[in-house]
PDB file of all heavy atoms in Angstrom:
ATOM      1  N   ALA K 377      15.934 -59.313 236.351  1.00  0.00           N
ATOM      2  CA  ALA K 377      17.079 -59.276 235.437  1.00  0.00           C
ATOM      3  C   ALA K 377      18.201 -60.151 235.971  1.00  0.00           C
ATOM      4  O   ALA K 377      18.710 -59.885 237.070  1.00  0.00           O
ATOM      5  CB  ALA K 377      17.566 -57.845 235.253  1.00  0.00           C
ATOM      6  N   PRO K 378      18.614 -61.190 235.242  1.00  0.00           N
ATOM      7  CA  PRO K 378      19.704 -62.057 235.711  1.00  0.00           C
ATOM      8  C   PRO K 378      21.004 -61.274 235.868  1.00  0.00           C
ATOM      9  O   PRO K 378      21.523 -60.719 234.899  1.00  0.00           O
ATOM     10  CB  PRO K 378      19.822 -63.109 234.596  1.00  0.00           C
ATOM     11  CG  PRO K 378      18.516 -63.069 233.874  1.00  0.00           C
ATOM     12  CD  PRO K 378      18.067 -61.635 233.953  1.00  0.00           C
ATOM     13  N   ASN K 379      21.517 -61.216 237.088  1.00  0.00           N
ATOM     14  CA  ASN K 379      22.711 -60.416 237.328  1.00  0.00           C
ATOM     15  C   ASN K 379      23.331 -60.807 238.669  1.00  0.00           C
ATOM     16  O   ASN K 379      22.693 -61.421 239.516  1.00  0.00           O
ATOM     17  CB  ASN K 379      22.361 -58.923 237.342  1.00  0.00           C
ATOM     18  CG  ASN K 379      23.585 -58.033 237.261  1.00  0.00           C
ATOM     19  OD1 ASN K 379      24.641 -58.461 236.811  1.00  0.00           O
ATOM     20  ND2 ASN K 379      23.468 -56.798 237.705  1.00  0.00           N
ATOM     21  N   SER K 397      16.573 -64.358 239.575  1.00  0.00           N
ATOM     22  CA  SER K 397      16.332 -64.776 238.192  1.00  0.00           C
ATOM     23  C   SER K 397      17.543 -65.472 237.591  1.00  0.00           C
ATOM     24  O   SER K 397      17.402 -66.330 236.704  1.00  0.00           O
ATOM     25  CB  SER K 397      15.934 -63.567 237.336  1.00  0.00           C
ATOM     26  OG  SER K 397      16.901 -62.537 237.444  1.00  0.00           O
ATOM     27  N   LEU K 398      18.739 -65.123 238.057  1.00  0.00           N
ATOM     28  CA  LEU K 398      19.948 -65.795 237.584  1.00  0.00           C
ATOM     29  C   LEU K 398      20.047 -67.184 238.204  1.00  0.00           C
ATOM     30  O   LEU K 398      20.348 -68.171 237.519  1.00  0.00           O
ATOM     31  CB  LEU K 398      21.184 -64.965 237.932  1.00  0.00           C
ATOM     32  CG  LEU K 398      22.535 -65.510 237.446  1.00  0.00           C
ATOM     33  CD1 LEU K 398      22.536 -65.701 235.933  1.00  0.00           C
ATOM     34  CD2 LEU K 398      23.664 -64.584 237.859  1.00  0.00           C
ATOM     35  N   ILE K 399      19.770 -67.280 239.493  1.00  0.00           N
ATOM     36  CA  ILE K 399      19.813 -68.570 240.182  1.00  0.00           C
ATOM     37  C   ILE K 399      18.816 -69.544 239.571  1.00  0.00           C
ATOM     38  O   ILE K 399      19.094 -70.740 239.407  1.00  0.00           O
ATOM     39  CB  ILE K 399      19.537 -68.381 241.679  1.00  0.00           C
ATOM     40  CG1 ILE K 399      20.684 -67.599 242.331  1.00  0.00           C
ATOM     41  CG2 ILE K 399      19.348 -69.722 242.387  1.00  0.00           C
ATOM     42  CD1 ILE K 399      20.431 -67.215 243.769  1.00  0.00           C
ATOM     43  N   ASP K 400      17.635 -69.026 239.196  1.00  0.00           N
ATOM     44  CA  ASP K 400      16.558 -69.878 238.696  1.00  0.00           C
ATOM     45  C   ASP K 400      16.911 -70.614 237.407  1.00  0.00           C
ATOM     46  O   ASP K 400      16.328 -71.657 237.115  1.00  0.00           O
ATOM     47  CB  ASP K 400      15.288 -69.052 238.461  1.00  0.00           C
ATOM     48  CG  ASP K 400      14.601 -68.671 239.761  1.00  0.00           C
ATOM     49  OD1 ASP K 400      14.917 -69.304 240.797  1.00  0.00           O
ATOM     50  OD2 ASP K 400      13.768 -67.757 239.750  1.00  0.00           O
ATOM     51  N   MET K 401      17.842 -70.077 236.617  1.00  0.00           N
ATOM     52  CA  MET K 401      18.140 -70.732 235.337  1.00  0.00           C
ATOM     53  C   MET K 401      19.505 -71.425 235.308  1.00  0.00           C
ATOM     54  O   MET K 401      19.938 -71.904 234.278  1.00  0.00           O
ATOM     55  CB  MET K 401      18.034 -69.737 234.178  1.00  0.00           C
ATOM     56  CG  MET K 401      19.079 -68.672 234.117  1.00  0.00           C
ATOM     57  SD  MET K 401      18.834 -67.663 232.623  1.00  0.00           S
ATOM     58  CE  MET K 401      20.212 -66.515 232.785  1.00  0.00           C
ATOM     59  N   LEU K 402      20.169 -71.507 236.471  1.00  0.00           N
ATOM     60  CA  LEU K 402      21.490 -72.115 236.518  1.00  0.00           C
ATOM     61  C   LEU K 402      21.510 -73.392 237.353  1.00  0.00           C
ATOM     62  O   LEU K 402      20.738 -73.547 238.297  1.00  0.00           O
ATOM     63  CB  LEU K 402      22.516 -71.130 237.102  1.00  0.00           C
ATOM     64  CG  LEU K 402      22.753 -69.820 236.353  1.00  0.00           C
ATOM     65  CD1 LEU K 402      23.812 -68.998 237.067  1.00  0.00           C
ATOM     66  CD2 LEU K 402      23.153 -70.072 234.897  1.00  0.00           C
ATOM     67  N   GLU K 403      22.427 -74.283 236.988  1.00  0.00           N
ATOM     68  CA  GLU K 403      22.710 -75.473 237.784  1.00  0.00           C
ATOM     69  C   GLU K 403      23.643 -75.090 238.938  1.00  0.00           C
ATOM     70  O   GLU K 403      24.295 -74.040 238.891  1.00  0.00           O
ATOM     71  CB  GLU K 403      23.360 -76.541 236.910  1.00  0.00           C
ATOM     72  CG  GLU K 403      22.495 -77.017 235.750  1.00  0.00           C
ATOM     73  CD  GLU K 403      21.215 -77.682 236.218  1.00  0.00           C
ATOM     74  OE1 GLU K 403      21.255 -78.381 237.261  1.00  0.00           O
ATOM     75  OE2 GLU K 403      20.177 -77.495 235.560  1.00  0.00           O
ATOM     76  N   PRO K 404      23.738 -75.931 239.974  1.00  0.00           N
ATOM     77  CA  PRO K 404      24.565 -75.578 241.135  1.00  0.00           C
ATOM     78  C   PRO K 404      25.998 -75.187 240.787  1.00  0.00           C
ATOM     79  O   PRO K 404      26.517 -74.192 241.310  1.00  0.00           O
ATOM     80  CB  PRO K 404      24.528 -76.847 241.991  1.00  0.00           C
ATOM     81  CG  PRO K 404      23.205 -77.450 241.670  1.00  0.00           C
ATOM     82  CD  PRO K 404      22.975 -77.172 240.216  1.00  0.00           C
ATOM     83  N   GLU K 405      26.666 -75.941 239.912  1.00  0.00           N
ATOM     84  CA  GLU K 405      28.049 -75.619 239.587  1.00  0.00           C
ATOM     85  C   GLU K 405      28.136 -74.315 238.791  1.00  0.00           C
ATOM     86  O   GLU K 405      29.125 -73.585 238.882  1.00  0.00           O
ATOM     87  CB  GLU K 405      28.704 -76.755 238.807  1.00  0.00           C
ATOM     88  CG  GLU K 405      30.226 -76.683 238.846  1.00  0.00           C
ATOM     89  CD  GLU K 405      30.897 -77.958 238.374  1.00  0.00           C
ATOM     90  OE1 GLU K 405      30.204 -78.817 237.788  1.00  0.00           O
ATOM     91  OE2 GLU K 405      32.112 -78.095 238.594  1.00  0.00           O
ATOM     92  N   GLU K 406      27.096 -74.007 238.039  1.00  0.00           N
ATOM     93  CA  GLU K 406      27.064 -72.740 237.306  1.00  0.00           C
ATOM     94  C   GLU K 406      26.872 -71.574 238.275  1.00  0.00           C
ATOM     95  O   GLU K 406      27.469 -70.507 238.095  1.00  0.00           O
ATOM     96  CB  GLU K 406      25.944 -72.770 236.262  1.00  0.00           C
ATOM     97  CG  GLU K 406      26.174 -73.788 235.156  1.00  0.00           C
ATOM     98  CD  GLU K 406      24.963 -73.998 234.277  1.00  0.00           C
ATOM     99  OE1 GLU K 406      23.843 -73.647 234.699  1.00  0.00           O
ATOM    100  OE2 GLU K 406      25.123 -74.530 233.153  1.00  0.00           O
ATOM    101  N   ILE K 407      26.065 -71.777 239.303  1.00  0.00           N
ATOM    102  CA  ILE K 407      25.908 -70.749 240.341  1.00  0.00           C
ATOM    103  C   ILE K 407      27.241 -70.508 241.025  1.00  0.00           C
ATOM    104  O   ILE K 407      27.624 -69.367 241.307  1.00  0.00           O
ATOM    105  CB  ILE K 407      24.833 -71.166 241.366  1.00  0.00           C
ATOM    106  CG1 ILE K 407      23.461 -71.275 240.698  1.00  0.00           C
ATOM    107  CG2 ILE K 407      24.775 -70.167 242.521  1.00  0.00           C
ATOM    108  CD1 ILE K 407      22.388 -71.878 241.590  1.00  0.00           C
ATOM    109  N   VAL K 410      29.371 -68.258 238.976  1.00  0.00           N
ATOM    110  CA  VAL K 410      28.972 -66.857 239.137  1.00  0.00           C
ATOM    111  C   VAL K 410      29.564 -66.287 240.428  1.00  0.00           C
ATOM    112  O   VAL K 410      30.125 -65.187 240.444  1.00  0.00           O
ATOM    113  CB  VAL K 410      27.436 -66.724 239.155  1.00  0.00           C
ATOM    114  CG1 VAL K 410      27.014 -65.315 239.573  1.00  0.00           C
ATOM    115  CG2 VAL K 410      26.861 -67.060 237.780  1.00  0.00           C
ATOM    116  N   ARG K 477      33.489 -75.709 230.377  1.00  0.00           N
ATOM    117  CA  ARG K 477      32.122 -75.832 229.861  1.00  0.00           C
ATOM    118  C   ARG K 477      31.107 -75.239 230.842  1.00  0.00           C
ATOM    119  O   ARG K 477      30.077 -74.713 230.424  1.00  0.00           O
ATOM    120  CB  ARG K 477      31.799 -77.297 229.557  1.00  0.00           C
ATOM    121  CG  ARG K 477      32.607 -77.863 228.386  1.00  0.00           C
ATOM    122  CD  ARG K 477      32.223 -79.308 228.105  1.00  0.00           C
ATOM    123  NE  ARG K 477      30.861 -79.444 227.624  1.00  0.00           N
ATOM    124  CZ  ARG K 477      30.482 -79.309 226.354  1.00  0.00           C
ATOM    125  NH1 ARG K 477      31.386 -79.024 225.424  1.00  0.00           N
ATOM    126  NH2 ARG K 477      29.219 -79.454 226.009  1.00  0.00           N
ATOM    127  N   VAL K 478      31.400 -75.322 232.120  1.00  0.00           N
ATOM    128  CA  VAL K 478      30.501 -74.732 233.114  1.00  0.00           C
ATOM    129  C   VAL K 478      30.462 -73.218 232.966  1.00  0.00           C
ATOM    130  O   VAL K 478      29.385 -72.606 232.947  1.00  0.00           O
ATOM    131  CB  VAL K 478      30.944 -75.115 234.543  1.00  0.00           C
ATOM    132  CG1 VAL K 478      30.171 -74.308 235.586  1.00  0.00           C
ATOM    133  CG2 VAL K 478      30.743 -76.602 234.781  1.00  0.00           C
ATOM    134  N   VAL K 479      31.635 -72.598 232.826  1.00  0.00           N
ATOM    135  CA  VAL K 479      31.705 -71.141 232.692  1.00  0.00           C
ATOM    136  C   VAL K 479      31.042 -70.699 231.390  1.00  0.00           C
ATOM    137  O   VAL K 479      30.256 -69.736 231.369  1.00  0.00           O
ATOM    138  CB  VAL K 479      33.161 -70.661 232.736  1.00  0.00           C
ATOM    139  CG1 VAL K 479      33.224 -69.133 232.628  1.00  0.00           C
ATOM    140  CG2 VAL K 479      33.838 -71.119 234.020  1.00  0.00           C
ATOM    141  N   MET K 480      31.332 -71.401 230.307  1.00  0.00           N
ATOM    142  CA  MET K 480      30.734 -71.028 229.022  1.00  0.00           C
ATOM    143  C   MET K 480      29.227 -71.270 229.007  1.00  0.00           C
ATOM    144  O   MET K 480      28.477 -70.548 228.342  1.00  0.00           O
ATOM    145  CB  MET K 480      31.424 -71.791 227.886  1.00  0.00           C
ATOM    146  CG  MET K 480      32.842 -71.316 227.629  1.00  0.00           C
ATOM    147  SD  MET K 480      33.600 -72.034 226.137  1.00  0.00           S
ATOM    148  CE  MET K 480      33.981 -73.680 226.729  1.00  0.00           C
ATOM    149  N   SER K 481      28.760 -72.245 229.769  1.00  0.00           N
ATOM    150  CA  SER K 481      27.325 -72.488 229.874  1.00  0.00           C
ATOM    151  C   SER K 481      26.622 -71.320 230.560  1.00  0.00           C
ATOM    152  O   SER K 481      25.522 -70.913 230.153  1.00  0.00           O
ATOM    153  CB  SER K 481      27.063 -73.781 230.640  1.00  0.00           C
ATOM    154  OG  SER K 481      25.674 -74.035 230.756  1.00  0.00           O
ATOM    155  N   VAL K 482      27.261 -70.762 231.598  1.00  0.00           N
ATOM    156  CA  VAL K 482      26.703 -69.573 232.257  1.00  0.00           C
ATOM    157  C   VAL K 482      26.580 -68.425 231.257  1.00  0.00           C
ATOM    158  O   VAL K 482      25.538 -67.758 231.181  1.00  0.00           O
ATOM    159  CB  VAL K 482      27.578 -69.136 233.445  1.00  0.00           C
ATOM    160  CG1 VAL K 482      27.077 -67.811 234.016  1.00  0.00           C
ATOM    161  CG2 VAL K 482      27.589 -70.199 234.532  1.00  0.00           C
ATOM    162  N   LEU K 483      27.627 -68.219 230.468  1.00  0.00           N
ATOM    163  CA  LEU K 483      27.626 -67.133 229.493  1.00  0.00           C
ATOM    164  C   LEU K 483      26.565 -67.355 228.429  1.00  0.00           C
ATOM    165  O   LEU K 483      25.901 -66.410 227.975  1.00  0.00           O
ATOM    166  CB  LEU K 483      29.013 -67.011 228.860  1.00  0.00           C
ATOM    167  CG  LEU K 483      30.127 -66.612 229.839  1.00  0.00           C
ATOM    168  CD1 LEU K 483      31.493 -66.790 229.203  1.00  0.00           C
ATOM    169  CD2 LEU K 483      29.940 -65.185 230.313  1.00  0.00           C
ATOM    170  N   MET K 484      26.387 -68.602 228.017  1.00  0.00           N
ATOM    171  CA  MET K 484      25.348 -68.926 227.043  1.00  0.00           C
ATOM    172  C   MET K 484      23.966 -68.596 227.591  1.00  0.00           C
ATOM    173  O   MET K 484      23.121 -68.006 226.890  1.00  0.00           O
ATOM    174  CB  MET K 484      25.425 -70.414 226.687  1.00  0.00           C
ATOM    175  CG  MET K 484      24.310 -70.915 225.781  1.00  0.00           C
ATOM    176  SD  MET K 484      24.406 -72.706 225.473  1.00  0.00           S
ATOM    177  CE  MET K 484      24.090 -73.354 227.126  1.00  0.00           C
ATOM    178  N   LYS K 485      23.731 -68.955 228.838  1.00  0.00           N
ATOM    179  CA  LYS K 485      22.422 -68.697 229.438  1.00  0.00           C
ATOM    180  C   LYS K 485      22.192 -67.208 229.673  1.00  0.00           C
ATOM    181  O   LYS K 485      21.055 -66.727 229.603  1.00  0.00           O
ATOM    182  CB  LYS K 485      22.279 -69.495 230.733  1.00  0.00           C
ATOM    183  CG  LYS K 485      22.194 -70.997 230.486  1.00  0.00           C
ATOM    184  CD  LYS K 485      22.135 -71.804 231.769  1.00  0.00           C
ATOM    185  CE  LYS K 485      22.075 -73.298 231.470  1.00  0.00           C
ATOM    186  NZ  LYS K 485      22.017 -74.117 232.697  1.00  0.00           N
ATOM    187  N   LEU K 486      23.260 -66.464 229.956  1.00  0.00           N
ATOM    188  CA  LEU K 486      23.126 -65.012 230.068  1.00  0.00           C
ATOM    189  C   LEU K 486      22.773 -64.393 228.729  1.00  0.00           C
ATOM    190  O   LEU K 486      22.075 -63.377 228.658  1.00  0.00           O
ATOM    191  CB  LEU K 486      24.436 -64.408 230.596  1.00  0.00           C
ATOM    192  CG  LEU K 486      24.703 -64.585 232.093  1.00  0.00           C
ATOM    193  CD1 LEU K 486      26.117 -64.112 232.426  1.00  0.00           C
ATOM    194  CD2 LEU K 486      23.687 -63.826 232.934  1.00  0.00           C
ATOM    195  N   ALA K 487      23.261 -65.012 227.652  1.00  0.00           N
ATOM    196  CA  ALA K 487      22.994 -64.468 226.316  1.00  0.00           C
ATOM    197  C   ALA K 487      21.579 -64.771 225.842  1.00  0.00           C
ATOM    198  O   ALA K 487      20.938 -63.931 225.201  1.00  0.00           O
ATOM    199  CB  ALA K 487      24.004 -65.036 225.320  1.00  0.00           C
ATOM    200  N   GLY K 488      21.075 -65.964 226.149  1.00  0.00           N
ATOM    201  CA  GLY K 488      19.766 -66.327 225.597  1.00  0.00           C
ATOM    202  C   GLY K 488      19.014 -67.352 226.410  1.00  0.00           C
ATOM    203  O   GLY K 488      18.276 -68.171 225.845  1.00  0.00           O
ATOM    204  N   GLY K 489      19.172 -67.326 227.710  1.00  0.00           N
ATOM    205  CA  GLY K 489      18.535 -68.322 228.547  1.00  0.00           C
ATOM    206  C   GLY K 489      17.363 -67.795 229.349  1.00  0.00           C
ATOM    207  O   GLY K 489      17.131 -66.589 229.435  1.00  0.00           O
ATOM    208  N   SER K 490      16.628 -68.721 229.904  1.00  0.00           N
ATOM    209  CA  SER K 490      15.531 -68.453 230.831  1.00  0.00           C
ATOM    210  C   SER K 490      15.288 -69.762 231.569  1.00  0.00           C
ATOM    211  O   SER K 490      15.809 -70.810 231.158  1.00  0.00           O
ATOM    212  CB  SER K 490      14.272 -68.015 230.073  1.00  0.00           C
ATOM    213  OG  SER K 490      13.721 -69.108 229.359  1.00  0.00           O
ATOM    214  N   PRO K 491      14.503 -69.743 232.636  1.00  0.00           N
ATOM    215  CA  PRO K 491      14.255 -71.008 233.332  1.00  0.00           C
ATOM    216  C   PRO K 491      13.699 -72.103 232.425  1.00  0.00           C
ATOM    217  O   PRO K 491      13.975 -73.284 232.637  1.00  0.00           O
ATOM    218  CB  PRO K 491      13.252 -70.609 234.421  1.00  0.00           C
ATOM    219  CG  PRO K 491      13.595 -69.187 234.720  1.00  0.00           C
ATOM    220  CD  PRO K 491      13.956 -68.599 233.376  1.00  0.00           C
ATOM    221  N   THR K 492      12.922 -71.730 231.404  1.00  0.00           N
ATOM    222  CA  THR K 492      12.351 -72.739 230.502  1.00  0.00           C
ATOM    223  C   THR K 492      13.263 -73.052 229.317  1.00  0.00           C
ATOM    224  O   THR K 492      13.333 -74.194 228.865  1.00  0.00           O
ATOM    225  CB  THR K 492      10.986 -72.262 229.962  1.00  0.00           C
ATOM    226  OG1 THR K 492      11.141 -70.969 229.353  1.00  0.00           O
ATOM    227  CG2 THR K 492       9.964 -72.179 231.092  1.00  0.00           C
ATOM    228  N   LEU K 493      13.997 -72.053 228.817  1.00  0.00           N
ATOM    229  CA  LEU K 493      14.857 -72.272 227.656  1.00  0.00           C
ATOM    230  C   LEU K 493      16.212 -72.861 228.003  1.00  0.00           C
ATOM    231  O   LEU K 493      16.821 -73.565 227.191  1.00  0.00           O
ATOM    232  CB  LEU K 493      15.065 -70.954 226.904  1.00  0.00           C
ATOM    233  CG  LEU K 493      13.909 -70.418 226.066  1.00  0.00           C
ATOM    234  CD1 LEU K 493      14.295 -69.091 225.435  1.00  0.00           C
ATOM    235  CD2 LEU K 493      13.517 -71.426 224.980  1.00  0.00           C
ATOM    236  N   ALA K 494      16.715 -72.560 229.191  1.00  0.00           N
ATOM    237  CA  ALA K 494      18.070 -72.972 229.564  1.00  0.00           C
ATOM    238  C   ALA K 494      18.342 -74.460 229.350  1.00  0.00           C
ATOM    239  O   ALA K 494      19.383 -74.824 228.790  1.00  0.00           O
ATOM    240  CB  ALA K 494      18.357 -72.573 231.011  1.00  0.00           C
ATOM    241  N   PRO K 495      17.426 -75.360 229.749  1.00  0.00           N
ATOM    242  CA  PRO K 495      17.703 -76.790 229.557  1.00  0.00           C
ATOM    243  C   PRO K 495      17.749 -77.198 228.085  1.00  0.00           C
ATOM    244  O   PRO K 495      18.273 -78.268 227.750  1.00  0.00           O
ATOM    245  CB  PRO K 495      16.536 -77.484 230.276  1.00  0.00           C
ATOM    246  CG  PRO K 495      15.988 -76.454 231.209  1.00  0.00           C
ATOM    247  CD  PRO K 495      16.176 -75.151 230.497  1.00  0.00           C
ATOM    248  N   GLN K 496      17.198 -76.365 227.191  1.00  0.00           N
ATOM    249  CA  GLN K 496      17.139 -76.711 225.774  1.00  0.00           C
ATOM    250  C   GLN K 496      18.350 -76.200 224.983  1.00  0.00           C
ATOM    251  O   GLN K 496      18.531 -76.572 223.824  1.00  0.00           O
ATOM    252  CB  GLN K 496      15.865 -76.124 225.153  1.00  0.00           C
ATOM    253  CG  GLN K 496      14.579 -76.537 225.851  1.00  0.00           C
ATOM    254  CD  GLN K 496      13.368 -75.806 225.292  1.00  0.00           C
ATOM    255  OE1 GLN K 496      13.211 -75.689 224.076  1.00  0.00           O
ATOM    256  NE2 GLN K 496      12.513 -75.314 226.175  1.00  0.00           N
ATOM    257  N   LEU K 497      19.159 -75.344 225.591  1.00  0.00           N
ATOM    258  CA  LEU K 497      20.277 -74.743 224.879  1.00  0.00           C
ATOM    259  C   LEU K 497      21.391 -75.751 224.635  1.00  0.00           C
ATOM    260  O   LEU K 497      21.640 -76.644 225.445  1.00  0.00           O
ATOM    261  CB  LEU K 497      20.812 -73.545 225.670  1.00  0.00           C
ATOM    262  CG  LEU K 497      19.866 -72.354 225.808  1.00  0.00           C
ATOM    263  CD1 LEU K 497      20.473 -71.284 226.721  1.00  0.00           C
ATOM    264  CD2 LEU K 497      19.535 -71.760 224.444  1.00  0.00           C
ATOM    265  N   ASN K 498      22.085 -75.582 223.503  1.00  0.00           N
ATOM    266  CA  ASN K 498      23.158 -76.483 223.081  1.00  0.00           C
ATOM    267  C   ASN K 498      24.494 -75.776 223.271  1.00  0.00           C
ATOM    268  O   ASN K 498      24.812 -74.833 222.545  1.00  0.00           O
ATOM    269  CB  ASN K 498      22.949 -76.864 221.607  1.00  0.00           C
ATOM    270  CG  ASN K 498      23.960 -77.887 221.122  1.00  0.00           C
ATOM    271  OD1 ASN K 498      25.143 -77.806 221.434  1.00  0.00           O
ATOM    272  ND2 ASN K 498      23.480 -78.853 220.352  1.00  0.00           N
ATOM    273  N   LEU K 499      25.280 -76.234 224.239  1.00  0.00           N
ATOM    274  CA  LEU K 499      26.537 -75.569 224.555  1.00  0.00           C
ATOM    275  C   LEU K 499      27.549 -75.684 223.416  1.00  0.00           C
ATOM    276  O   LEU K 499      28.257 -74.724 223.118  1.00  0.00           O
ATOM    277  CB  LEU K 499      27.130 -76.139 225.846  1.00  0.00           C
ATOM    278  CG  LEU K 499      28.453 -75.523 226.304  1.00  0.00           C
ATOM    279  CD1 LEU K 499      28.325 -74.008 226.497  1.00  0.00           C
ATOM    280  CD2 LEU K 499      28.926 -76.182 227.599  1.00  0.00           C
ATOM    281  N   PHE K 502      26.878 -73.118 220.927  1.00  0.00           N
ATOM    282  CA  PHE K 502      27.256 -71.783 221.396  1.00  0.00           C
ATOM    283  C   PHE K 502      28.760 -71.581 221.320  1.00  0.00           C
ATOM    284  O   PHE K 502      29.232 -70.499 220.961  1.00  0.00           O
ATOM    285  CB  PHE K 502      26.769 -71.582 222.833  1.00  0.00           C
ATOM    286  CG  PHE K 502      27.082 -70.219 223.399  1.00  0.00           C
ATOM    287  CD1 PHE K 502      26.388 -69.098 222.966  1.00  0.00           C
ATOM    288  CD2 PHE K 502      28.069 -70.068 224.360  1.00  0.00           C
ATOM    289  CE1 PHE K 502      26.673 -67.834 223.486  1.00  0.00           C
ATOM    290  CE2 PHE K 502      28.367 -68.813 224.884  1.00  0.00           C
ATOM    291  CZ  PHE K 502      27.663 -67.696 224.442  1.00  0.00           C
ATOM    292  N   ILE K 503      29.531 -72.620 221.645  1.00  0.00           N
ATOM    293  CA  ILE K 503      30.989 -72.532 221.537  1.00  0.00           C
ATOM    294  C   ILE K 503      31.394 -72.309 220.088  1.00  0.00           C
ATOM    295  O   ILE K 503      32.280 -71.496 219.792  1.00  0.00           O
ATOM    296  CB  ILE K 503      31.647 -73.796 222.117  1.00  0.00           C
ATOM    297  CG1 ILE K 503      31.399 -73.871 223.621  1.00  0.00           C
ATOM    298  CG2 ILE K 503      33.155 -73.805 221.829  1.00  0.00           C
ATOM    299  CD1 ILE K 503      31.851 -75.172 224.263  1.00  0.00           C
ATOM    300  N   GLN K 505      29.568 -70.847 217.898  1.00  0.00           N
ATOM    301  CA  GLN K 505      29.158 -69.466 217.630  1.00  0.00           C
ATOM    302  C   GLN K 505      30.226 -68.491 218.103  1.00  0.00           C
ATOM    303  O   GLN K 505      30.544 -67.511 217.414  1.00  0.00           O
ATOM    304  CB  GLN K 505      27.837 -69.187 218.341  1.00  0.00           C
ATOM    305  CG  GLN K 505      27.328 -67.761 218.211  1.00  0.00           C
ATOM    306  CD  GLN K 505      26.055 -67.543 219.033  1.00  0.00           C
ATOM    307  OE1 GLN K 505      25.346 -68.491 219.370  1.00  0.00           O
ATOM    308  NE2 GLN K 505      25.772 -66.291 219.356  1.00  0.00           N
ATOM    309  N   PRO K 534      28.686 -61.765 225.705  1.00  0.00           N
ATOM    310  CA  PRO K 534      28.906 -63.139 226.195  1.00  0.00           C
ATOM    311  C   PRO K 534      29.733 -64.023 225.271  1.00  0.00           C
ATOM    312  O   PRO K 534      30.554 -64.810 225.741  1.00  0.00           O
ATOM    313  CB  PRO K 534      27.480 -63.678 226.352  1.00  0.00           C
ATOM    314  CG  PRO K 534      26.651 -62.465 226.630  1.00  0.00           C
ATOM    315  CD  PRO K 534      27.254 -61.382 225.786  1.00  0.00           C
ATOM    316  N   VAL K 535      29.526 -63.907 223.944  1.00  0.00           N
ATOM    317  CA  VAL K 535      30.290 -64.783 223.047  1.00  0.00           C
ATOM    318  C   VAL K 535      31.777 -64.458 223.093  1.00  0.00           C
ATOM    319  O   VAL K 535      32.616 -65.354 222.964  1.00  0.00           O
ATOM    320  CB  VAL K 535      29.776 -64.694 221.585  1.00  0.00           C
ATOM    321  CG1 VAL K 535      28.411 -65.341 221.450  1.00  0.00           C
ATOM    322  CG2 VAL K 535      29.758 -63.272 221.076  1.00  0.00           C
ATOM    323  N   ARG K 537      33.380 -63.313 225.755  1.00  0.00           N
ATOM    324  CA  ARG K 537      33.856 -63.865 227.018  1.00  0.00           C
ATOM    325  C   ARG K 537      34.024 -65.387 226.914  1.00  0.00           C
ATOM    326  O   ARG K 537      34.984 -65.955 227.441  1.00  0.00           O
ATOM    327  CB  ARG K 537      32.885 -63.506 228.137  1.00  0.00           C
ATOM    328  CG  ARG K 537      32.828 -62.016 228.427  1.00  0.00           C
ATOM    329  CD  ARG K 537      31.683 -61.658 229.356  1.00  0.00           C
ATOM    330  NE  ARG K 537      31.839 -62.264 230.680  1.00  0.00           N
ATOM    331  CZ  ARG K 537      30.935 -62.121 231.651  1.00  0.00           C
ATOM    332  NH1 ARG K 537      29.832 -61.404 231.439  1.00  0.00           N
ATOM    333  NH2 ARG K 537      31.134 -62.684 232.822  1.00  0.00           N
ATOM    334  N   ALA K 538      33.094 -66.039 226.220  1.00  0.00           N
ATOM    335  CA  ALA K 538      33.197 -67.489 226.023  1.00  0.00           C
ATOM    336  C   ALA K 538      34.427 -67.832 225.195  1.00  0.00           C
ATOM    337  O   ALA K 538      35.127 -68.813 225.476  1.00  0.00           O
ATOM    338  CB  ALA K 538      31.937 -68.020 225.351  1.00  0.00           C
TER     339      ALA K 538
END
Side-chain angles (χ1 to χ4, degrees):
N379 194 21
S397 54
L398 183 57
I399 293 173
D400 286 343
M401 69 177 181
L402 299 181
E403 299 297 324
E405 199 166 13
E406 294 169 341
I407 296 171
V410 170
R477 292 181 66 85
V478 170
V479 181
M480 289 188 284
S481 180
V482 173
L483 296 168
M484 174 183 66
K485 292 177 181 180
L486 284 172
S490 70
T492 54
L493 286 178
Q496 304 174 45
L497 294 175
N498 185 318
L499 180 57
F502 181 73
I503 294 172
Q505 177 184 339
V535 290
R537 294 170 64 182

